[in-house]
Amino acid sequence: MAAKAVRSMGCKSICTSGLVCSLLLLFVSAALAQENPLAGIEPLRDIQPMDCADLGDDFVFSLYSLSCYQCPEDLVISEDRLRCVCPASSVTSYNAEGTLSCSSCAIQGEVVSEDGRSCIWCGPKPEISGSANSVSGSGGQSDPASGERRSDEASEAAVQQRRMAAIQIASVQEGSERCVCPVGHVLTDYNSSGVFDSFYGKHCLMCPFNSYVDNSDPYTCIRCPDPLMHRDATSGRCVCADGYVEDSVQIASTIQVDEASVGQRVCLELTRVREVAFSVPQYGKQTYFDVLDAGGARTEEREVDRSEPHMLFFLEAAVRCRGGRRTESCHALANLCTLNLFDMSSPACSVLSSYTRGQVVDNVHDYQGWHLRYPWLWYEDTPRNVLLDTGLNRPVALSGPNSFINMTLSVYSLDGTLVGMRPLTTQLLLCKGDDRELQRYRRFGSNVRVECDVDVLAIMRDFSEPHFYELWIVDSHDSDGNILETPTLYPVPVMIINYRDDGDTPNRVLKDSNLELGVGSKGELAMDQVVLHRRFFLYDNIGGRIVADSANTQTGPDGQRIRPDLEVVRWAKAMQLRIALQSNQGDTPVDESLRMYPPQLIIEYEQMVGSTVPTREVEGGSEEEKLRYQKVSFRSTYTRDSTFYWYITMVLFVVLAVLIVVQFFVKAAVHNQTSSLKPLEIGIDLLGCIGNFFFVFLLGMSGYWFIFFKLQTSVKVLILTQDPHKDYIVLVSITVVCKVLQVALLVYKQCTVRIFFIDWEKEKEGRNLDLEDGNNENQDSKDKPGHPNVSVWRSILIANEWCEMQGERHTDVDFTLMFLLLFLAGLNYQNLATAQPDERNLEDGPPSMHMRFFVISMWYFTVVVMQLGWRLFSYRFQSDPLDQFVDLCQLSNISTWILDRDFHGFYIHGRSVHPHTDVNMFQMQTNLKDESDAKRPNRGLTQKPMADLQGYTDLVFEVYITDAIKKEYSSQFKKMLPHGGVPSHQNDQKAAEAVSKAHHTINEFLMNDVIDTISSANVQIPTFAHNVLGVPPGRVPPEQPVLLRDNKNLFARVLFYGIEGDLIILDLLVFIVWDLIFVDVFIAALLTYVLAHGLMELRCKFGTSNVARKTLVDERFLI
């Protein structure tokens, strides 16, 4: 931005009147007004610096506004095409406001000096005093020829004198054989004509006054590092002109360090240097907070004195940036402020802030906080206005060009130089790998999480000097949805969790990576308190390094100085890129729900004491390894307002709660009719209702995310930011706990049911087998009633068959888990739950635990349904194991009596139609043939023909007994066995005899007093209410026993067969919980297998013990 003013010396010669100077100032003001397009509201275009040449030869790329602009007519383009400069024939100067002004030297026949700030003659300045050359001797007449000769002679003499002063004879240094020259001269073997002079030997040639002799090479002149420097005649060193001071000298003289180690060796205006409000020890300090120290301890604050980047760049940047006079210096000052994480107590941030606060020019591109001539570090608008701004017009999609988020980085080196505008690819990730995988976060809707261990020692020693970044998103559409010819750039705000503001940490709330700004009370509060910035870095391996000087450096084997190690190293520990969609307003022609709010980049830095980092080889798993290799992560999150989803979820949850209450009270009422309510029954019903309904709710909600996120064709649904959501974890935990407790109570109930096997076999004629003893005594059975002459093996057979059925299921857990792993891991279908919207993409990626619930459930039920379908088919053409047990009871002439509640139970009628079943093989075959030939009555309790039964069974019944039967049964059992059952491994003859007598007595009671009674009772067909709700057929306990024909084999309720559904859901929930913890289907399958088989073993063990106690069959016979 060049303002056309005339330097003061020129004004003296040109402005001969006040009117001329007034007109000149008016022209300068008009030119300045024309050169402020950078402060307008023109959008920021997505272009590279070299693209400006396409607009015209007079267009350049502005470092201030990152856009192209046209140089005014009296300015030209610099060689790097990054600024407009004065023509080669004009000198450059700045006024107090930092405005560039040019003055032409050609007006006086002069040329520009090397530093570009003065006009100078090409040779000796010609004498223009007319009186000495225009008047002759005494006559006063002029002699032009003689005057011209005298002038040429004088000029030639002056030139010759200058040449002779520059060339001198070299001398030999005493005590050595080396030639030495006076101060400011270099050795040469050639004479003034450029010929090797062996006669006169070496000469000394004076270096130009803006150079000095190289200490290591006396034949070489080295140019002074700054155009404002000249060689001191006494010391031979480069010194600054009057009114200027070298920054390196100014810094080194204050803190006594080597001048070569500090500053940029540039000349700064002494008055400007004195205006810097901070001393060298103050601005040379870098402060780190919450630093990781030895042993994992934390140091609240650690200061690094004489920090290298601050000692190198601060003074030069602070002076030259004033008024925005030098762009690179302002960016260098901004980088130093960024290294301090924008702590306003740091000198770099304080100085830069004081410069921008004095600006009254409009904001660049209409962004508040981006001031003309200065870098943009802070937002001056409120966080809410910035984060909820709707100025980003680009739409999003699931396919096509709009499905990828295109971003651009403006990259700066530490000294403030613009490295370039770079497309964003993997620059934000410290993790390395396949670039295609690392760039998946750019695919819209893909919630990606990349984690790795970074070698901190490599950051300290191998990583290059850090770069500094500003992030922009490319916007290719206008507000009406039309595609722009040249895309624009929209700034991405940066939120640094470590940012400190006078001791406060307002961005610390963002440490919760699941917090959504503006969502919920906590998110609303956080949105108003966070602080936004623009610039960031990935690592800092220079801010914690002390400047290298003779006091803290060593010399290596090659003679090179070794730089000291970092006192503190810093890196980006966690980075998160958040992108949220807007809400549709409905009053515009475009769909705002397909547009984004400004993306957010959230960064958390970690800092560690450099001496803590192990430098030698570390062992795997050791504490040293954990210190050296630190975890870093990058996460992308795409989301949108989920208020409507949570509203619907809450409504469904309320409905669910009502259904749970209704179902529980219905079950409690039904159970209350069949028996008095007991805590066991209440617990089973309540836990079952909660567990089942919550499972269905979770399955429905997870299915919603899978169907509407994975299968959507346009962007309508984005998954939740918090994954897994805390409510999801709570619901899964409640569901699993309820299901585990319910199944545990069901198993306990099954292991405590009252069961007895009624033997209908008639006693055969002959001796009583039970009376044979060691004395060979034979007595008739009539002599000792209670010991019938009936074989016990049929009862043992039925008891063993029952015990084997206790742990059997319709589905095979091993088969289920094996095929579930085949689908999930073998065919990689577990990646259907990855947090990206393409259901065809089965590449590995971080899963959405909500969708993973549905995917696992979907394939689990697929395998289960396959098994149940096969079981249904095989049972249809072969035989149901429950039906086989009923047939076995018929063949054995044994009935099964089961009571699962006080007045409710099941009865399997096994009374044979044959006289005896304890017969040989031939007689058994004969009996079966007689039965098939209809020579025997029909099987069943009522022995009705099949036509009369109308498809209902006459063998299996659900029974409701009277209070008298219940009391008598309990009384008989307690009377015969006061200790509650058969003792285990009984060896006592008297005990065995007591058990045998008890078995016979109870068997007779059930046959004569119970079965004969209920056989003449009312046998009914179950009603619809009973089939659906289990409503009993009348008052309970009934006055007369009631039998309901049971075609469904409901007696399986006291076996695993009867709780198959609960076991299936339990296995699935257990698998999901382990997978939620480990995110590994193999570990989940292994632990589910252990739990399922462990539960079967417990059921069989305790169930067998219960059979032995209740049926009075010795447990030693149950194998």
Side-chain angles (χ1 to χ4, degrees):
M1 278 57 67
K4 304 304 162 242
V6 181
R7 65 186 181 96
S8 57
M9 184 179 71
C11 286
K12 292 180 181 178
S13 60
I14 297 177
C15 297
T16 56
S17 68
L19 178 61
V20 175
C21 289
S22 298
L23 292 175
L24 181 61
L25 291 175
L26 181 62
F27 167 75
V28 170
S29 301
L32 181 61
Q34 293 177 357
E35 291 182 27
N36 274 341
L38 304 181
I41 61 174
E42 176 70 18
L44 181 59
R45 303 294 181 184
D46 180 22
I47 56 174
Q48 298 293 327
M50 64 286 297
D51 296 335
C52 294
D54 298 337
L55 302 177
D57 293 337
D58 54 350
F59 279 82
V60 297
F61 188 81
S62 169
L63 294 180
Y64 296 125
S65 63
L66 303 180
S67 57
C68 298
Y69 74 101
Q70 188 176 15
C71 288
E73 294 180 357
D74 48 353
L75 295 182
V76 296
I77 301 173
S78 63
E79 293 182 1
D80 56 8
R81 300 192 69 90
L82 294 179
R83 58 181 61 81
C84 296
V85 297
C86 294
S89 60
S90 299
V91 296
T92 303
S93 62
Y94 293 90
N95 60 16
E97 290 75 24
T99 303
L100 173 69
S101 60
C102 303
S103 298
S104 176
C105 294
I107 296 177
Q108 304 182 49
E110 298 174 312
V111 294
V112 181
S113 62
E114 183 182 12
D115 60 12
R117 303 189 180 213
S118 305
C119 295
I120 191 172
W121 297 98
C122 282
K125 183 177 180 180
E127 297 294 334
I128 314 179
S129 55
S131 59
N133 298 321
S134 58
V135 180
S136 64
S138 58
Q141 295 195 4
S142 63
D143 186 357
S146 62
E148 184 175 351
R149 285 194 301 271
R150 283 194 298 270
S151 175
D152 293 341
E153 292 173 359
S155 299
E156 183 64 26
V159 171
Q160 186 64 25
Q161 183 179 3
R162 291 168 61 188
R163 288 177 178 171
M164 294 304 295
I167 302 176
Q168 298 189 18
I169 304 300
S171 60
V172 179
Q173 184 178 11
E174 293 185 8
S176 69
E177 298 179 355
R178 297 193 316 174
C179 296
V180 294
C181 290
V183 175
H185 292 69
V186 292
L187 286 170
T188 181
D189 297 335
Y190 300 89
N191 58 23
S192 59
S193 300
V195 179
F196 184 80
D197 195 343
S198 60
F199 181 78
Y200 287 102
K202 292 183 182 291
H203 291 73
C204 292
L205 184 65
M206 179 180 291
C207 291
F209 287 100
N210 63 344
S211 62
Y212 64 98
V213 181
D214 187 357
N215 293 331
S216 60
D217 184 5
Y219 292 89
T220 303
C221 295
I222 298 179
R223 186 171 180 171
C224 291
D226 191 282
L228 292 176
M229 288 182 175
H230 65 275
R231 186 179 65 252
D232 181 68
T234 303
S235 64
R237 295 178 51 186
C238 292
V239 296
C240 293
D242 293 340
Y244 291 86
V245 63
E246 182 182 342
D247 65 338
S248 302
V249 174
Q250 176 75 10
I251 299 171
S253 62
T254 304
I255 60 174
Q256 302 299 317
V257 296
D258 295 343
E259 294 179 9
S261 303
V262 295
Q264 296 295 294
R265 297 210 65 193
V266 295
C267 294
L268 305 175
E269 294 178 67
L270 185 58
T271 56
R272 299 288 190 185
V273 172
R274 291 171 178 170
E275 291 175 358
V276 177
F278 297 93
S279 63
V280 177
Q282 288 176 324
Y283 65 68
K285 182 186 303 181
Q286 171 84 37
T287 304
Y288 294 88
F289 297 94
D290 192 27
V291 183
L292 185 62
D293 210 332
R298 291 279 178 178
T299 302
E300 178 63 26
E301 181 177 338
R302 187 180 181 98
E303 295 180 346
V304 178
D305 295 323
R306 297 188 300 173
S307 171
E308 184 174 291
H310 297 276
M311 300 294 289
L312 287 174
F313 298 105
F314 175 81
L315 186 59
E316 180 271 338
V319 172
R320 289 188 170 183
C321 178
R322 189 179 184 90
R325 289 185 296 173
R326 186 172 183 270
T327 308
E328 288 81 357
S329 298
C330 291
H331 281 288
L333 193 62
N335 292 338
L336 296 179
C337 178
T338 306
L339 283 178
N340 284 278
L341 302 186
F342 309 101
D343 187 353
M344 294 307 298
S345 63
S346 66
C349 297
S350 178
V351 169
L352 186 58
S353 177
S354 66
Y355 292 166
T356 58
R357 283 198 303 267
Q359 287 291 301
V360 294
V361 186
D362 293 340
N363 296 311
V364 178
H365 299 297
D366 204 29
Y367 292 122
Q368 296 189 36
W370 193 357
H371 297 285
L372 189 64
R373 304 192 187 97
Y374 292 101
W376 184 16
L377 295 186
W378 302 277
Y379 282 88
E380 295 181 354
D381 203 349
T382 63
R384 184 176 295 274
N385 290 343
V386 173
L387 299 178
L388 298 182
D389 183 50
T390 57
L392 191 57
N393 300 317
R394 64 148 294 168
V396 296
L398 298 177
S399 60
N402 290 332
S403 63
F404 288 90
I405 306 300
N406 297 319
M407 292 187 175
T408 297
L409 286 169
S410 49
V411 187
Y412 301 89
S413 59
L414 181 62
D415 62 1
T417 302
L418 176 67
V419 177
M421 305 292 289
R422 302 285 188 262
L424 178 63
T425 54
T426 63
Q427 295 95 324
L428 299 181
L429 288 84
L430 285 174
C431 299
K432 303 304 178 185
D434 189 343
D435 286 355
R436 295 171 300 176
E437 292 294 320
L438 297 178
Q439 291 190 61
R440 285 196 299 115
Y441 72 92
R442 296 179 52 233
R443 173 73 183 272
F444 183 81
S446 299
N447 289 2
V448 174
R449 184 177 183 88
V450 179
E451 290 184 337
C452 66
D453 293 334
V454 64
D455 187 354
V456 180
L457 186 64
I459 296 179
M460 297 172 59
R461 296 186 175 181
D462 301 335
F463 281 31
S464 60
E465 186 178 273
H467 282 156
F468 297 82
Y469 305 95
E470 292 173 354
L471 185 59
W472 313 82
I473 185 169
V474 179
D475 189 359
S476 56
H477 292 69
D478 60 17
S479 58
D480 295 328
N482 302 316
I483 299 178
L484 297 172
E485 183 178 350
T486 303
T488 61
L489 296 180
Y490 193 94
V492 176
V494 177
M495 289 170 277
I496 299 176
I497 295 178
N498 311 69
Y499 169 73
R500 301 175 71 90
D501 182 11
D502 195 20
D504 296 331
T505 53
N507 291 349
R508 181 65 62 175
V509 295
L510 298 172
K511 195 171 181 65
D512 179 7
S513 60
N514 297 316
L515 175 68
E516 294 186 56
L517 294 177
V519 178
S521 57
K522 189 176 180 181
E524 287 287 344
L525 181 63
M527 176 170 281
D528 293 325
Q529 76 177 53
V530 295
V531 179
L532 312 179
H533 297 97
R534 284 287 299 127
R535 192 164 294 194
F536 65 95
F537 57 90
L538 291 183
Y539 58 87
D540 170 18
N541 60 359
I542 189 172
R545 191 186 304 278
I546 299 177
V547 291
D549 58 20
S550 57
N552 62 5
T553 56
Q554 300 176 352
T555 303
D558 56 357
Q560 298 294 325
R561 290 200 306 175
I562 302 175
R563 301 177 68 188
D565 287 335
L566 284 171
E567 286 200 9
V568 180
V569 59
R570 174 184 278 161
W571 66 94
K573 173 184 176 182
M575 301 186 72
Q576 183 180 14
L577 181 64
R578 294 185 180 181
I579 296 179
L581 291 184
Q582 303 178 20
S583 299
N584 189 20
Q585 303 300 321
D587 55 353
T588 59
V590 296
D591 186 0
E592 287 87 354
S593 65
L594 297 179
R595 292 183 175 181
M596 298 180 294
Y597 287 118
Q600 309 163 23
L601 183 63
I602 303 173
I603 307 175
E604 180 183 8
Y605 290 103
E606 180 68 282
Q607 39 278 323
M608 179 188 291
V609 177
S611 59
T612 303
V613 182
T615 56
R616 57 184 177 84
E617 291 295 328
V618 295
E619 297 181 0
S622 64
E623 291 297 326
E624 289 184 338
E625 183 193 34
K626 295 178 181 178
L627 279 175
R628 177 168 167 179
Y629 295 92
Q630 294 285 325
K631 289 191 177 296
V632 297
S633 65
F634 174 84
R635 179 181 176 187
S636 63
T637 303
Y638 296 84
T639 185
R640 72 181 314 154
D641 185 14
S642 56
T643 304
F644 179 75
Y645 165 77
W646 288 116
Y647 173 77
I648 297 298
T649 301
M650 183 56 65
V651 171
L652 292 178
F653 189 80
V654 171
V655 174
L656 177 71
V658 173
L659 292 177
I660 290 175
V661 173
V662 171
Q663 187 189 36
F664 170 70
F665 279 108
V666 169
K667 285 189 173 185
V670 171
H671 290 165
N672 189 41
Q673 295 181 34
T674 57
S675 63
S676 59
L677 285 178
K678 297 179 180 179
L680 179 64
E681 298 289 347
I682 295 175
I684 292 175
D685 292 341
L686 181 59
L687 293 171
C689 292
I690 295 175
N692 292 336
F693 274 105
F694 275 21
F695 172 76
V696 173
F697 180 77
L698 285 170
L699 188 62
M701 292 298 98
S702 60
Y704 165 84
W705 290 116
F706 180 82
I707 294 172
F708 290 97
F709 176 73
K710 280 286 188 178
L711 306 181
Q712 59 185 334
T713 56
S714 61
V715 182
K716 298 297 182 183
V717 174
L718 293 177
I719 59 179
L720 299 175
T721 302
Q722 187 176 355
D723 189 10
H725 196 276
K726 60 181 181 180
D727 294 342
Y728 168 80
I729 296 177
V730 170
L731 281 176
V732 169
S733 302
I734 294 175
T735 306
V736 171
V737 170
C738 289
K739 208 64 192 175
V740 169
L741 292 177
Q742 181 211 9
V743 171
L745 293 178
L746 282 172
V747 171
Y748 173 78
K749 180 182 177 182
Q750 289 184 355
C751 292
T752 57
V753 296
R754 286 167 290 183
I755 183 172
F756 196 87
F757 300 119
I758 306 172
D759 191 350
W760 296 94
E761 189 73 7
K762 295 179 181 180
E763 188 174 4
K764 293 182 179 181
E765 297 293 334
R767 57 193 179 92
N768 192 329
L769 299 178
D770 288 327
L771 295 181
E772 286 191 8
D773 55 18
N775 297 324
N776 297 322
E777 295 180 358
N778 289 321
Q779 297 181 10
D780 192 89
S781 61
K782 298 178 181 178
D783 298 332
K784 278 201 172 182
H787 301 279
N789 186 15
V790 175
S791 173
V792 74
W793 289 110
R794 289 172 298 99
S795 297
I796 293 176
L797 173 65
I798 295 299
N800 275 283
E801 288 298 324
W802 179 267
C803 291
E804 288 180 9
M805 284 200 309
Q806 291 181 116
E808 295 295 326
R809 296 174 52 177
H810 294 299
T811 59
D812 186 349
V813 175
D814 301 359
F815 182 92
T816 302
L817 293 177
M818 181 180 66
F819 275 85
L820 181 62
L821 290 178
L822 172 65
F823 287 121
L824 294 179
L827 301 179
N828 218 22
Y829 286 149
Q830 62 179 327
N831 286 342
L832 286 172
T834 52
Q836 47 83 23
D838 187 0
E839 78 282 359
R840 296 166 296 179
N841 185 357
L842 296 180
E843 297 178 358
D844 292 338
S848 165
M849 301 311 296
H850 307 132
M851 291 192 295
R852 195 173 176 91
F853 185 102
F854 180 80
V855 170
I856 293 175
S857 300
M858 177 178 65
W859 291 114
Y860 181 88
F861 282 123
T862 299
V863 178
V864 167
V865 170
M866 288 168 53
Q867 293 184 76
L868 294 178
W870 167 250
R871 294 296 186 189
L872 184 62
F873 175 80
S874 63
Y875 291 168
R876 177 69 178 84
F877 293 99
Q878 296 180 11
S879 183
D880 187 336
L882 298 175
D883 291 336
Q884 287 182 334
F885 179 77
V886 174
D887 290 340
L888 186 61
C889 288
Q890 277 286 319
L891 290 176
S892 302
N893 202 15
I894 290 178
S895 297
T896 304
W897 173 264
I898 305 169
L899 289 180
D900 62 341
R901 298 193 189 99
D902 291 339
F903 306 104
H904 177 269
F906 305 95
Y907 174 64
I908 302 175
H909 185 68
R911 188 171 186 177
S912 177
V913 295
H914 307 288
H916 297 281
T917 56
D918 189 5
V919 295
N920 57 32
M921 180 65 69
F922 176 75
Q923 186 62 45
M924 177 70 69
Q925 295 292 342
T926 301
N927 291 342
L928 293 177
K929 188 176 186 309
D930 290 343
E931 188 176 351
S932 64
D933 293 340
K935 295 179 179 180
R936 296 293 179 182
N938 293 317
R939 288 186 179 185
L941 181 64
T942 62
Q943 296 184 344
K944 291 182 179 181
M946 295 296 296
D948 294 342
L949 293 175
Q950 298 179 356
Y952 286 96
T953 181
D954 199 29
L955 297 175
V956 184
F957 300 90
E958 191 174 357
V959 60
Y960 291 87
I961 63 175
T962 63
D963 185 53
I965 294 177
K966 179 250 181 183
K967 290 180 179 180
E968 183 65 23
Y969 177 73
S970 300
S971 174
Q972 287 286 344
F973 200 90
K974 292 179 181 179
K975 176 181 176 182
M976 300 305 299
L977 294 170
H979 300 293
V982 58
S984 178
H985 303 293
Q986 54 183 353
N987 295 314
D988 185 16
Q989 180 67 23
K990 291 183 179 181
E993 189 172 328
V995 169
S996 178
K997 183 177 180 181
H999 182 276
H1000 175 71
T1001 303
I1002 296 174
N1003 191 78
E1004 291 292 326
F1005 165 74
L1006 290 175
M1007 284 195 303
N1008 301 323
D1009 297 342
V1010 177
I1011 304 303
D1012 285 344
T1013 302
I1014 64 175
S1015 62
S1016 59
N1018 185 16
V1019 179
Q1020 302 178 9
I1021 296 175
T1023 63
F1024 176 80
H1026 179 82
N1027 288 331
V1028 175
L1029 302 176
V1031 177
R1035 177 179 173 274
V1036 177
E1039 296 180 357
Q1040 295 293 329
V1042 177
L1043 279 75
L1044 300 178
R1045 299 187 186 277
D1046 181 13
N1047 278 22
K1048 300 179 180 178
N1049 290 333
L1050 295 181
F1051 68 90
R1053 291 177 181 174
V1054 297
L1055 304 171
F1056 265 9
Y1057 284 123
I1059 58 171
E1060 182 74 39
D1062 294 304
L1063 294 175
I1064 288 174
I1065 295 177
L1066 175 65
D1067 292 340
L1068 174 57
L1069 288 173
V1070 169
F1071 187 98
I1072 288 174
V1073 166
W1074 290 124
D1075 183 73
L1076 180 63
I1077 296 174
F1078 297 104
V1079 196
D1080 190 311
V1081 292
F1082 292 99
I1083 296 178
L1086 175 62
L1087 296 176
T1088 304
Y1089 173 87
V1090 171
L1091 183 84
H1093 280 272
L1095 185 63
M1096 285 189 228
E1097 290 298 324
L1098 291 175
R1099 173 65 180 90
C1100 291
K1101 176 177 176 56
F1102 291 104
T1104 301
S1105 298
N1106 180 67
V1107 169
R1109 289 194 306 271
K1110 302 300 176 58
T1111 64
L1112 305 181
V1113 176
D1114 196 311
E1115 192 171 354
R1116 289 176 293 181
F1117 298 122
L1118 303 177
I1119 57 176

